[in-house]
Amino acid sequence: MGPATPAPGGRATPGRSAERRDAQDQARLEQGLVDMFENRIVFNSVLGLKVDSVKPADVRGSFAMTPALVGHFTHGRLHGGAISAVLDAMGGLAVMVAITEHHAAETAAQVMQRFGKMGTIDLRVDYIRPGVGQRFFATAKVVRLGGRVAFTQMELVNETGLLLATASASYIVS
Amino acid sequence: MGPATPAPGGRATPGRSAERRDAQDQARLEQGLVDMFENRIVFNSVLGLKVDSVKPADVRGSFAMTPALVGHFTHGRLHGGAISAVLDAMGGLAVMVAITEHHAAETAAQVMQRFGKMGTIDLRVDYIRPGVGQRFFATAKVVRLGGRVAFTQMELVNETGLLLATASASYIVS
Amino acid sequence: MGPATPAPGGRATPGRSAERRDAQDQARLEQGLVDMFENRIVFNSVLGLKVDSVKPADVRGSFAMTPALVGHFTHGRLHGGAISAVLDAMGGLAVMVAITEHHAAETAAQVMQRFGKMGTIDLRVDYIRPGVGQRFFATAKVVRLGGRVAFTQMELVNETGLLLATASASYIVS
Amino acid sequence: MGPATPAPGGRATPGRSAERRDAQDQARLEQGLVDMFENRIVFNSVLGLKVDSVKPADVRGSFAMTPALVGHFTHGRLHGGAISAVLDAMGGLAVMVAITEHHAAETAAQVMQRFGKMGTIDLRVDYIRPGVGQRFFATAKVVRLGGRVAFTQMELVNETGLLLATASASYIVS
């Protein structure tokens, strides 16, 4: 984007205000996002949830089946609550990535501050199939990032690509 | 309860199959339910979720805030996924209790076998307020136990009684 | 409320700013709400939906079974979509009533203007039982009216009091 | 399709029952489905909802903006309840089409009988954008047709292709 198309909330740096943050700042932001998600949001680490991609059009994460996540003890299946927890977390991550992209002219620090206003409004999870597998892969996309509310859709598959769950969640963003 | 109090839909054959399971079998069943919920559904123990009541009209559980459950690191708030996981688990427990009561003439072993057919269809969680508190209390009620589907509603409050989340979930039961 | 307890956003009218709108203005507001709901929101009139109460703690409406609302033709049952439409409408009404009460120091005109910012974020309907009956009664309550989002819960029963559907919806309010 | 392409789960009765229903029966079935949907499910006709495709991989319908469907009177927008009603109806249609395909060896009469066991369990609608437009187009897909439960996802766009709403619904099917 050039100066003629100022980004919303862009910095006032003379002559550069509508420009996208530079590659280094972007990398720092992405790294900060991943670190926050995997480590500082502690429950995500309990789930063993790792970020696989924070590209705006491709937000993905995954986690391994572990004894701690078992729900149906006789079958060793994933707990429904672990599924909902992961999909909730991934939806939030996708919204953060979308905010990062939408405010591409802001610094990492400015964008991180926006995350503080975010909150999940509600979540729906459809348990399509029993949670069977060795490793689980979740994708999340932002259907719409509005000025006040963001809508997301998530999916969970196992290592064979079998669809286990879908979810949608809405978030307040300002 | 004796033969004078036939189970719902039970036959009136004196001294036999329509009777409610005896107190000892009922106690064994309740104990089995609590043990399964707190220990064998491993993820529930990760959440620290304890059963406080398995009375049919009063299904309750609770858990303490711990570092592992943190979602919003700057505020030390409960992770939305922990909330959804707990409410999902509590809804399932309420359905199991309702099945236990609906088939009051069956032995503990027969009833436990019915649980194997159960599965969560879907879950919706409304995040009413930020997950702030020291201890959290969840209630679950079965709105309807139908022949094929059960509908549940859950609530989560903190130790001050503040409502933090509500949820509804549907379960396949046969 | 007296002057010692200023209402949020109260008018600056000297010496009276925190007072509740007078009875005449309140009546005008309630009348305007009912008229808007029953007539100007045209689809509500297609549903035959009437407002039975707009008291803050008791928001109710009802409608008759008619051939136009049939969904399951072989049984003459209410269409699921008519149920979801009614519960969506009633949730919105409950939020409007709550706004009316929360801003009790504002004039009818001021409050009506707030309604323009409202929008349904999402809706979940649980179809507890088949939609059988002659007349249907819906209740709606606001679980929380927050600064940005309102959460509601609704129920639909028939003339025998049988619970047919429950719903929850969230609304953006500012 | 001929005898060389046995229907899933079809019996091996020589020359007959495992075959797909013939083209004439298929056409009669599709016609019956459309007629039932547009006319006998009366509320669908109130909505003006027309079926555009009942191909298994492409279930679509549409309807025009009319004064009867207005929700937000000042803007002439579509009522949220009309949106939820349409998406509920389209999800049900998609499930019926999937059943028709899954039991491709059955006659039209046999398949129609299966529809009698169907019921919506629950529905969630996300109102992505205000319901503005002249004509609205809904698509529905069956994410999974299980033995007991079917899961669907729906979308509504206007004539410019703008996404207005998404929905998911689950159905009991046996």
Side-chain angles (χ1 to χ4, degrees):
Chain A
M1 252 186 276
T5 318
R11 286 170 295 154
T13 314
R16 295 191 50 200
S17 60
E19 284 177 41
R20 192 187 171 87
R21 71 181 72 86
D22 63 29
Q24 195 180 349
D25 208 25
Q26 177 71 22
R28 195 182 307 130
L29 186 49
E30 289 182 11
Q31 190 48 49
L33 206 53
V34 171
D35 175 54
M36 177 180 75
F37 188 82
E38 293 185 352
N39 303 313
R40 296 172 71 189
I41 301 181
V42 186
F43 192 59
N44 287 350
S45 70
V46 171
L47 296 165
L49 188 53
K50 296 293 176 189
V51 175
D52 294 330
S53 167
V54 287
K55 298 277 165 258
D58 177 31
V59 175
R60 279 180 289 118
S62 60
F63 62 104
M65 185 69 207
T66 64
L69 302 183
V70 167
H72 203 299
F73 55 96
T74 53
H75 302 283
R77 288 179 194 156
L78 201 55
H79 191 288
I83 293 174
S84 64
V86 163
L87 295 181
D88 178 25
M90 291 303 301
L93 178 63
V95 175
M96 288 188 277
V97 170
I99 287 173
T100 299
E101 190 63 16
H102 188 71
H103 299 282
E106 294 187 357
T107 63
Q110 286 172 314
V111 165
M112 293 297 264
Q113 206 151 17
R114 288 186 181 275
F115 299 160
K117 295 179 191 162
M118 268 184 65
T120 314
I121 297 170
D122 52 45
L123 168 75
R124 164 167 173 153
V125 182
D126 289 295
Y127 297 96
I128 309 294
R129 287 184 182 85
V132 176
Q134 299 304 315
R135 191 164 184 88
F136 304 101
F137 301 85
T139 53
K141 67 172 178 179
V142 175
V143 177
R144 186 188 180 206
L145 175 63
R148 299 177 291 176
V149 177
F151 295 92
T152 62
Q153 291 186 345
M154 289 75 77
E155 288 190 1
L156 186 75
V157 302
N158 66 11
E159 73 277 7
T160 71
L162 195 67
L163 183 65
L164 305 182
T166 60
S168 69
S170 53
Y171 300 82
I172 191 87
V173 291
S174 70
Chain B
M1 258 185 267
T5 318
R11 286 167 295 150
T13 316
R16 282 222 347 205
S17 58
E19 286 179 38
R20 193 188 169 86
R21 70 181 72 86
D22 62 29
Q24 195 179 349
D25 208 25
Q26 177 69 22
R28 195 182 306 130
L29 187 48
E30 289 182 11
Q31 189 49 49
L33 206 54
V34 171
D35 176 54
M36 178 181 75
F37 189 82
E38 293 185 352
N39 303 312
R40 296 171 71 188
I41 301 181
V42 185
F43 192 59
N44 287 350
S45 69
V46 171
L47 296 165
L49 187 53
K50 296 294 176 188
V51 175
D52 294 331
S53 167
V54 287
K55 299 279 165 255
D58 178 31
V59 174
R60 279 180 289 118
S62 60
F63 62 104
M65 185 68 206
T66 64
L69 302 183
V70 166
H72 204 299
F73 55 96
T74 52
H75 302 283
R77 288 178 195 158
L78 202 54
H79 191 287
I83 293 174
S84 65
V86 163
L87 296 181
D88 179 24
M90 291 304 300
L93 178 63
V95 174
M96 288 189 277
V97 170
I99 287 174
T100 298
E101 190 63 15
H102 187 71
H103 299 282
E106 294 186 357
T107 63
Q110 286 172 314
V111 165
M112 293 298 265
Q113 207 151 17
R114 289 185 181 276
F115 299 161
K117 296 179 191 160
M118 267 183 65
T120 314
I121 297 170
D122 52 42
L123 168 74
R124 165 168 173 152
V125 182
D126 289 295
Y127 297 96
I128 309 294
R129 287 185 183 84
V132 176
Q134 299 304 315
R135 190 165 185 87
F136 304 100
F137 300 86
T139 53
K141 69 172 178 179
V142 175
V143 177
R144 186 189 179 205
L145 175 64
R148 299 177 290 176
V149 176
F151 295 91
T152 62
Q153 291 185 344
M154 287 75 77
E155 289 190 359
L156 186 75
V157 302
N158 67 10
E159 74 277 6
T160 70
L162 195 66
L163 182 65
L164 304 183
T166 60
S168 68
S170 54
Y171 299 82
I172 191 87
V173 291
S174 68
Chain C
M1 252 185 276
T5 318
R11 287 169 296 154
T13 315
R16 294 194 51 201
S17 60
E19 284 178 39
R20 194 187 170 86
R21 72 181 71 85
D22 63 29
Q24 195 179 350
D25 208 25
Q26 177 70 22
R28 194 182 307 128
L29 185 49
E30 289 182 12
Q31 189 48 49
L33 205 54
V34 171
D35 176 54
M36 178 182 74
F37 188 82
E38 292 185 352
N39 304 311
R40 297 171 71 188
I41 301 181
V42 186
F43 192 60
N44 286 351
S45 69
V46 171
L47 296 165
L49 188 53
K50 296 293 176 190
V51 175
D52 294 331
S53 168
V54 287
K55 299 278 165 255
D58 177 32
V59 174
R60 278 181 291 118
S62 61
F63 62 105
M65 185 69 206
T66 64
L69 302 183
V70 167
H72 203 298
F73 55 96
T74 52
H75 301 282
R77 288 178 195 157
L78 201 56
H79 191 287
I83 293 174
S84 64
V86 163
L87 295 182
D88 178 25
M90 291 303 301
L93 178 63
V95 175
M96 288 189 277
V97 169
I99 288 173
T100 299
E101 190 63 15
H102 187 72
H103 299 281
E106 294 187 357
T107 64
Q110 286 172 313
V111 165
M112 293 297 263
Q113 207 151 14
R114 289 185 181 275
F115 299 160
K117 294 179 192 161
M118 266 183 65
T120 315
I121 297 170
D122 53 44
L123 168 73
R124 165 166 174 155
V125 183
D126 289 294
Y127 297 96
I128 309 293
R129 288 185 182 83
V132 176
Q134 300 303 315
R135 190 164 185 87
F136 304 100
F137 300 85
T139 52
K141 68 171 177 180
V142 175
V143 176
R144 186 188 179 205
L145 175 63
R148 299 177 291 176
V149 176
F151 295 91
T152 62
Q153 291 186 343
M154 289 75 77
E155 289 190 0
L156 186 74
V157 301
N158 67 9
E159 73 277 7
T160 71
L162 196 67
L163 182 66
L164 304 182
T166 60
S168 69
S170 54
Y171 300 82
I172 190 89
V173 292
S174 68
Chain D
M1 257 183 269
T5 318
R11 285 169 295 152
T13 317
R16 279 231 343 213
S17 58
E19 287 177 39
R20 193 187 169 87
R21 71 182 71 86
D22 64 28
Q24 195 180 348
D25 209 25
Q26 177 70 23
R28 195 182 307 128
L29 186 49
E30 289 182 11
Q31 189 49 50
L33 206 54
V34 171
D35 176 54
M36 178 181 74
F37 188 82
E38 293 185 351
N39 303 311
R40 296 171 73 189
I41 301 180
V42 185
F43 192 59
N44 287 350
S45 71
V46 170
L47 296 165
L49 187 53
K50 296 295 176 188
V51 175
D52 294 331
S53 167
V54 287
K55 299 280 166 255
D58 177 31
V59 174
R60 279 180 289 118
S62 60
F63 62 105
M65 185 68 207
T66 64
L69 301 183
V70 167
H72 204 298
F73 56 96
T74 51
H75 302 283
R77 288 179 194 157
L78 201 55
H79 191 287
I83 292 174
S84 65
V86 162
L87 295 182
D88 178 26
M90 291 304 299
L93 179 63
V95 174
M96 287 189 276
V97 169
I99 288 173
T100 299
E101 190 63 15
H102 187 72
H103 299 281
E106 294 187 355
T107 63
Q110 286 172 314
V111 166
M112 293 298 264
Q113 208 151 14
R114 289 185 182 276
F115 299 160
K117 295 178 193 161
M118 267 183 65
T120 314
I121 297 170
D122 53 45
L123 168 75
R124 166 169 172 152
V125 183
D126 289 296
Y127 297 97
I128 310 293
R129 288 185 182 84
V132 175
Q134 299 303 316
R135 190 163 185 88
F136 304 100
F137 301 85
T139 53
K141 69 172 177 179
V142 175
V143 176
R144 185 188 180 206
L145 176 62
R148 300 177 291 176
V149 176
F151 295 91
T152 61
Q153 291 186 344
M154 288 75 78
E155 289 191 0
L156 186 75
V157 302
N158 67 9
E159 74 276 7
T160 70
L162 195 68
L163 182 65
L164 305 182
T166 60
S168 70
S170 54
Y171 299 82
I172 190 89
V173 293
S174 68

